[in-house]
Amino acid sequence: MGVAIRLLLLPLMAVAFCGYGVAGRSHFHKKPPRGGSSGGRHRGGKEGSVVSSPAVPPADDDTQPVPPPPVGIVPSDPATPVQPAEPCVFDVRAYGAIGDGSTDDTQAFREAWKSACAADAAVLLVPSDGTFTITTTTFSGPCKPGLVFQVDGVLMPPDGPDCWPASDNRRQWVVFSNLDGLTLRGAGTIEGNGEEWWNLPCKPHRGPNGSTLRGPCDSPTLVRFFMSRNLVVEGLRVENSPEFHFRFDGCSDVRVDGLYISSPANSPNTDGIHVENTERVGIYNSRISNGDDCISIGTGSYDVDIQNITCGPGHGISIGSLGVHNSQACVSNVTVRNAVIRNSDNGLRIKTWQGGMGAVSGIAFADVVMENVRNCIIVDQYYCLDKRCMNQSTAVHVTDVSYANVRGSYDTRSAPIHFACSDTVPCTNITMSEVELLPASGELVDDPFCWSAYGTQQTLTIPPVTCLQDGLPEALLDNPDLKCR
C-alpha cells in the first residue's frame, strides 16, 4: 500500500517514517493525534569498533572436506553484502514537543519513548533546532533491541529548585532503568541548570584553611542508569549538573566514550562519572572539569578500564569513598591509563572510612601526567568530611595497588605522595616504578608520608618513597572481614 493511500486512511494522524527505501522495512507507526508529521533518519553518532576475526589456520592433509549447505540454504554472495535495515526515527516534535526552552515537553518525551521502546532498532530523536525542558522522568524497559536516545539539540531540567515540581524526585532527573542495549549519544548538549542548586545554604562549600562549611542536601543527579546492561554513552556535551553528572548503579557492560563534561571548579558534589555496583565498564576519550571527582568508583565495582581521560579542575580520579557507616565495600580490577590531570585538588586517590570492611584490590595506575596537582598520589583510610570522626579498629583493606610512569608537577602545599593507612588493617603490596613528581613552583617537597603502608619501589622514584615497609603484617592473614567475592 503506497504512502498516499495510507495518509488518506489516516487523515488525523501523523506518520513516522521508518526505513524508507530499504527492502522489507517500509512500515508506519501511529503517533498521538496532537503531533504533527515528522520524519528523519539517524544523524550523528560514531561508528562502532571493528573486531577482526583471527586468521583461519590451514587445513591438515587429512581434514575432511566441508559438506555443502543443506538444500534450500544459499550462501551469501560476499560481493553484495546484505544492507542493515535503517532505524525507525521517533522525533519528539512529532509527539508535541515544542523545544522553545520554556515549555514543559515531558509528556511528549514520554510518549515518544513509549513508541520507540516498542520498535526494533528505534531512534528517539531530540532534534538539533530546539531546547527541550523536561521534569523528572524514568525511561524504563524492557525495550526492543537496538534502541538509541539521540540528543542533537539541548535537553535540560527546570531552572533550579524553585522551578522544580513539588511532586518530583529531588534526587534524580533523567533515569534509564531496566534496559538492555541502550545507546545514549548525539552532537547536542545536556544542560543541568545547576547554579541555583549549588547555592543552597545546606550545600557543602569550601571554607577557610581547607575547611568545609555546611552539609549535603537533596539535589538531583543529572543522568542515572539503573539495573541495565550493554550500555553505550558517547559523544555528548554535559554541563552544570546540580549534583553528579552521570551515575551508573547496578549495571554491567558499559562503554562511555567521547564525552565532554563541564561544571565550575567550585560547584559542590558535581562528580563527572560515578560507578557503583557495576561491572565491566570502559570509560574512554573524555574531558571532565568539575567541582568534585572527575571519575569516582564506588563499592561493588569490578573490571573498570579508564583510558585517555583529561581531568581538571576537580578532585581527580577516586576510588571511594568506601566503608561509610561501618559497611562492607569491595572494589577490584580497576585500571587507569593514559590520563592527564590538571590543576586538581587530588590526582589518583583511594579513600575509605574507618570502621568499614572488605577490600580494594587489583588497582593499576599507569602513564599518568600531573600538572600542578595537590595530593598527586594519595591513599586515605581516615577519610572524614568534617575531620571529627572517631578512630575505629576496622577498615577496608587496600592491597595490590601499582603506580607506573606517573610524572608531572605538584602544588607544594602538600607532599605529592601520601599513604595514610589503618593501624589494624595496613595497606599492602603497593608498588611504584617510574614515578617522577616535581614542584610546579617553589622548593622541592621531598618527604612523602607513609603510615602503616607496605610495598616496594621497583625503580627509584622522585621524590624517593623510602617510608614504605617491607613484607606483609601478620594481622592481615586469614581475616574474614577483608574478604570480598
Side-chain angles (χ1 to χ4, degrees):
M1 184 180 294
V3 175
I5 296 176
R6 291 180 183 271
L7 292 176
L8 289 174
L9 292 177
L10 301 171
L12 297 179
M13 304 196 70
V15 178
F17 295 95
C18 302
Y20 248 94
V22 179
R25 189 67 181 154
S26 296
H27 50 268
F28 290 84
H29 290 268
K30 297 179 181 179
K31 297 196 286 286
R34 66 173 180 164
S37 64
S38 177
R41 297 186 177 183
H42 160 67
R43 300 169 40 194
K46 297 182 179 179
E47 295 182 359
S49 300
V50 178
V51 180
S52 300
S53 299
V56 179
D60 295 332
D61 292 340
D62 58 349
T63 301
Q64 296 298 317
V66 178
V71 176
I73 299 179
V74 180
S76 299
D77 181 356
T80 56
V82 177
Q83 295 297 321
E86 291 189 14
C88 298
V89 178
F90 297 86
D91 188 326
V92 294
R93 287 194 189 277
Y95 291 81
I98 304 302
D100 60 3
S102 58
T103 301
D104 183 358
D105 291 323
T106 307
Q107 190 58 35
F109 272 73
R110 291 174 178 171
E111 293 296 330
W113 174 264
K114 183 178 179 181
S115 296
C117 180
D120 288 324
V123 175
L124 187 154
L125 177 64
V126 181
S128 60
D129 60 347
T131 298
F132 300 86
T133 300
I134 65 173
T135 59
T136 298
T137 304
T138 297
F139 297 105
S140 61
C143 295
K144 291 292 185 67
L147 181 56
V148 175
F149 197 112
Q150 179 92 13
V151 180
D152 285 339
V154 177
L155 181 61
M156 66 184 188
D159 190 7
D162 292 341
C163 299
W164 206 262
S167 60
D168 276 11
N169 189 329
R170 292 172 68 96
R171 295 295 296 150
Q172 55 195 24
W173 174 52
V174 166
V175 181
F176 294 99
S177 175
N178 192 29
L179 294 162
D180 186 350
L182 174 73
T183 296
L184 172 63
R185 69 185 182 196
T189 298
I190 299 177
E191 167 59 53
N193 289 331
E195 183 174 1
E196 297 302 321
W197 295 96
W198 308 329
N199 292 332
L200 290 174
C202 56
K203 296 296 289 187
H205 290 81
R206 296 179 185 177
N209 301 319
S211 64
T212 301
L213 305 178
R214 297 283 184 176
C217 57
D218 286 346
S219 296
T221 292
L222 201 58
V223 181
R224 182 186 182 204
F225 295 87
F226 180 69
M227 297 300 292
S228 297
R229 61 183 183 175
N230 298 316
L231 301 170
V232 175
V233 182
E234 60 184 4
L236 290 166
R237 181 184 182 97
V238 185
E239 57 189 23
N240 300 320
S241 176
E243 203 165 272
F244 291 7
H245 289 76
F246 284 98
R247 183 181 183 119
F248 295 89
D249 289 311
C251 298
S252 63
D253 302 290
V254 175
R255 180 169 65 85
V256 176
D257 199 347
L259 297 187
Y260 181 84
I261 297 174
S262 176
S263 289
N266 62 352
S267 56
N269 301 119
T270 53
D271 292 45
I273 300 170
H274 179 74
V275 177
E276 189 158 330
N277 293 313
T278 294
E279 57 187 6
R280 296 185 299 280
V281 181
I283 303 173
Y284 306 124
N285 309 312
S286 296
R287 299 177 62 89
I288 303 171
S289 59
N290 58 336
D292 211 300
D293 294 330
C294 164
I295 298 171
S296 54
I297 309 298
T299 186
S301 298
Y302 307 98
D303 303 323
V304 180
D305 185 35
I306 301 169
Q307 293 195 47
N308 196 25
I309 302 296
T310 300
C311 294
H315 293 179
I317 298 174
S318 293
I319 297 174
S321 60
L322 303 172
V324 65
H325 304 312
N326 300 348
S327 62
Q328 185 182 51
C330 296
V331 173
S332 66
N333 298 336
V334 177
T335 299
V336 177
R337 188 179 298 275
N338 296 325
V340 177
I341 303 176
R342 294 190 177 106
N343 303 315
S344 177
D345 281 1
N346 303 289
L348 306 171
R349 177 166 65 159
I350 300 173
K351 51 182 178 176
T352 71
W353 296 78
Q354 293 187 76
M357 296 172 288
V360 176
S361 63
I363 313 300
F365 301 108
D367 306 323
V368 179
V369 175
M370 307 277 186
E371 296 180 10
N372 191 33
V373 173
R374 189 175 182 181
N375 300 313
C376 293
I377 293 173
I378 179 170
V379 175
D380 182 7
Q381 287 191 286
Y382 298 88
Y383 182 72
C384 180
L385 289 178
D386 58 14
K387 305 303 179 185
R388 292 180 295 178
C389 301
M390 297 182 63
N391 288 336
Q392 299 188 52
S393 60
T394 61
V396 178
H397 185 205
V398 177
T399 186
D400 299 330
V401 182
S402 66
Y403 302 88
N405 193 28
V406 179
R407 302 174 185 273
S409 62
Y410 63 90
D411 183 329
T412 56
R413 289 177 295 172
S414 301
I417 300 171
H418 187 97
F419 296 124
C421 302
S422 166
D423 287 323
T424 54
V425 188
C427 303
T428 58
N429 199 23
I430 297 172
T431 59
M432 309 192 75
S433 63
E434 304 298 330
V435 174
E436 184 177 304
L437 299 168
L438 300 172
S441 61
E443 296 181 357
L444 178 68
V445 176
D446 59 356
D447 188 17
F449 176 83
C450 299
W451 185 267
S452 296
Y454 290 74
T456 60
Q457 290 184 92
Q458 294 182 339
T459 66
L460 180 64
T461 65
I462 301 176
V465 189
T466 57
C467 54
L468 287 173
Q469 302 180 57
D470 295 330
L472 180 68
E474 293 184 4
L476 297 183
L477 299 177
D478 298 324
N479 187 335
D481 291 336
L482 308 181
K483 304 299 183 182
C484 284
R485 73 174 201 176

